[in-house]
């Protein structure tokens, strides 16, 4: 089993199940043309975010780390017309590409892109949110998780991307700030009462990584 097998399986399921359409493909093209890094979620992962938002019945979503709004489009399409996504992006070039992609997707009125470093803009963001997608600088993961707890509705779902890092997450002595950030996040989740969580390892066209799925218990849970 190797990277080309994983990519071929992603391509197979993308073609059969995922439903990536021309708007999403155009968003990826626009990201490539603007020279953005090719680190957006895969079509299968985007579809999974979309399904989680629908399964939760989410009306308000907070994303940290927009890039060109590829994942944002998947999430925004899961919401009712009155639903809203707020997405936080530090890089002004990324934010501009994201806004153009959202406008082309017909989602400009459903999504607000807030420019700036998330730890600076989060204090001005009003909750509650039903679903969070944490996908920015991994060193700040634990802080983003704490913000999500503050802004969560009962039963809110929190998804954190890129928590396996090719398996490096198990290296307790790692000096990689991303690995350290993921480990601080995991420790923070583990010591928070009332959180149900699971970490899923994934392979696919983006290699070997994974995500954490967490749920904030409702009052009576
Ligand atoms: N969620 C996107 C991919 C995000 S890539 C998708 O799947 O389509 C990570 C993004 O986080 C990059 O655009 C990067 O500029 C942004 N980022 C990094 N540090 C940040 C910070 N401190 N605040 C806000 N955004 C940040
Ligand atoms: C990187 C960031 C991501 O969000 C991702 O899904 C993959 C890679 C990165 O910064 O390298
Ligand atoms: Mg990611």
């Amino acid at each position: 089993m190797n990277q080309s097998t994983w990519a071929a399986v992603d391509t197979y399921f993308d073609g059969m199940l995922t439903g990536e359409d021309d708007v999403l493909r155009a968003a990826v093209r626009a990201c490539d043309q603007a020279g953005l890094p090719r680190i957006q979620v895969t079509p299968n992962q985007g579809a999974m975010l979309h399904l989680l938002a629908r399964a939760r019945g989410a009306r308000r979503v907070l994303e940290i780390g927009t890039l060109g709004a590829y994942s944002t489009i998947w999430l925004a399409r899961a919401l009712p017309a009155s639903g809203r996504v707020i997405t936080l992006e530090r890089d002004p070039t990324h934010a501009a590409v994201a806004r153009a992609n959202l406008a082309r997707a017909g989602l400009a009125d459903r999504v607000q892109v807030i420019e700036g470093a998330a730890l600076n803009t989060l204090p001005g963001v009003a909750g509650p949110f039903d679903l969070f997608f944490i996908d920015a600088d991994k060193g700040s993961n634990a802080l983003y998780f704490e913000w999500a707890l503050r802004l969560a509705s009962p039963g809110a779902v929190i998804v954190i991307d890129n928590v396996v890092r090719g398996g490096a997450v198990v290296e307790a002595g790692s000096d990689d700030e991303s690995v350290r950030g993921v480990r601080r996040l995991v420790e923070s989740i583990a010591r928070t009462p009332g959180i149900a969580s699971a970490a899923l390892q994934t392979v696919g066209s983006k290699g070997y990584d994974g995500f954490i799925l967490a749920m904030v218990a409702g009052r009576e849970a």
Side-chain angles (χ1 to χ4, degrees), residues 36 67 89-96 115-117:
L36 270 48
L67 193 67
E89 175 54 54
R90 177 177 60 189
D91 186 301
T93 305
H94 297 186
E115 219 172 289

Side-chain angles (χ1 to χ4, degrees), residues 118-172:
L119 291 174
N120 295 336
T121 58
L122 276 163
V125 171
F129 296 94
D130 311 308
L131 185 142
F132 299 83
F133 183 43
I134 298 177
D135 191 24
D137 51 321
K138 314 308 176 189
S140 298
N141 269 344
L143 298 171
Y144 297 149
F145 176 71
E146 283 153 24
W147 270 104
L149 293 181
R150 259 173 245 154
L151 295 171
S153 60
V157 167
I158 306 173
V159 184
I160 306 114
D161 198 21
N162 312 117
V163 300
V164 173
R165 316 206 66 81
V169 68
V170 298
E171 291 165 18

Side-chain angles (χ1 to χ4, degrees), residues 15-91:
M16 296 297 287
L17 303 180
T18 308
E20 189 193 49
D21 65 3
D22 287 342
V23 167
L24 285 159
R25 279 189 282 269
V28 172
R29 266 201 310 279
C31 289
D32 286 348
Q33 279 161 10
L36 270 48
R38 304 186 85 170
I39 54 177
Q40 62 270 12
V41 293
T42 64
N44 274 292
Q45 292 166 344
M48 187 202 67
L49 290 171
H50 175 92
L51 290 166
L52 284 171
R54 283 176 57 185
R56 173 65 277 188
R59 309 183 70 86
R60 290 182 36 97
V61 171
L62 178 64
E63 176 178 67
I64 307 180
T66 317
L67 193 67
Y70 182 78
S71 54
T72 322
I73 294 172
W74 279 107
L75 286 164
R77 286 176 167 180
L79 309 186
S82 62
R84 289 288 176 274
V85 181
I86 292 180
T87 183
L88 311 182
E89 175 54 54
R90 177 177 60 189
D91 186 301

